[in-house]
Amino acid sequence: MTTTVPYAEVPSLVGRDLGWSDWLEVTQDRVNVFADAVDDHQWIHVEPERARAESPFGGPIAHGFLSLSLTTRFWTELLEVDGVTTKVNYGLDKVRFISPVQVGARVRMNAVIAEVAEIPGGFQLTVDQTIEIEGGTKPAVAARGLYRFYA
């Protein structure tokens, strides 16, 4: 469920758990398109038969950076700020790829607002993001994202 707040109330979000995004299946097609986009065609990602036979993961897995890139998609499901003119993904403070995401797995993201800082013309949010794998015991990705909202 999306949390919607007016721009003036952004500072009140500190400590707020925004909940979970919807589930998304990581398909082989998505992995292949990502491999083409970043020119990383390592067999553990794009050769399903070989990955099933030789990989320690039992099949093809998503690129770690593909899993990380999904934070952008999930983030838009979790927070909407009314009254902004520009939204910027400002970067990351820390990222860990904890568990591989196997092709066919479903993932979703939780986000907690750790900090809100006033910046010239807007606010910067520091967000603790966790991507979990359905049925998994450990998260796929833990990242601290930085997002800027300008009015």
Side-chain angles (χ1 to χ4, degrees):
M1 176 159 216
T2 305
T3 296
T4 303
V5 298
Y7 175 78
E9 293 180 19
V10 168
S12 71
L13 292 173
V14 174
R16 180 107 175 244
D17 184 336
L18 299 177
W20 292 93
S21 69
D22 291 333
W23 289 104
L24 173 72
E25 181 180 354
V26 177
T27 64
Q28 186 65 57
D29 185 55
R30 183 180 295 270
V31 170
N32 292 345
V33 168
F34 188 84
D36 289 342
V38 300
D39 201 20
D40 178 356
H41 297 93
Q42 186 179 15
W43 63 269
I44 63 170
H45 305 303
V46 298
E47 294 183 37
E49 292 78 24
R50 182 176 177 191
R52 279 190 281 280
E54 298 178 31
S55 167
F57 308 113
I61 60 170
H63 304 73
F65 284 109
L66 167 56
S67 300
L68 176 64
S69 74
L70 295 174
T71 60
T72 302
R73 178 193 192 279
F74 293 141
W75 176 240
T76 62
E77 292 181 27
L78 296 175
L79 181 66
E80 182 64 39
V81 179
D82 290 334
V84 297
T85 59
T86 307
K87 303 173 190 176
V88 177
N89 177 345
Y90 190 64
L92 300 158
D93 272 350
K94 185 176 181 180
V95 177
R96 295 292 180 264
F97 301 118
I98 300 166
S99 296
V101 176
Q102 291 191 312
V103 168
R106 293 190 337 149
V107 294
R108 66 179 181 172
M109 185 177 86
N110 174 257
V112 177
I113 309 298
E115 300 172 23
V116 176
E118 196 163 351
I119 58 171
F123 295 107
Q124 178 173 298
L125 282 67
T126 301
V127 184
D128 290 329
Q129 303 166 126
T130 304
I131 295 180
E132 77 168 356
I133 304 165
E134 187 175 38
T137 58
K138 294 181 183 177
V141 177
R144 182 163 262 213
L146 306 172
Y147 299 93
R148 289 188 168 185
F149 293 87
Y150 297 94

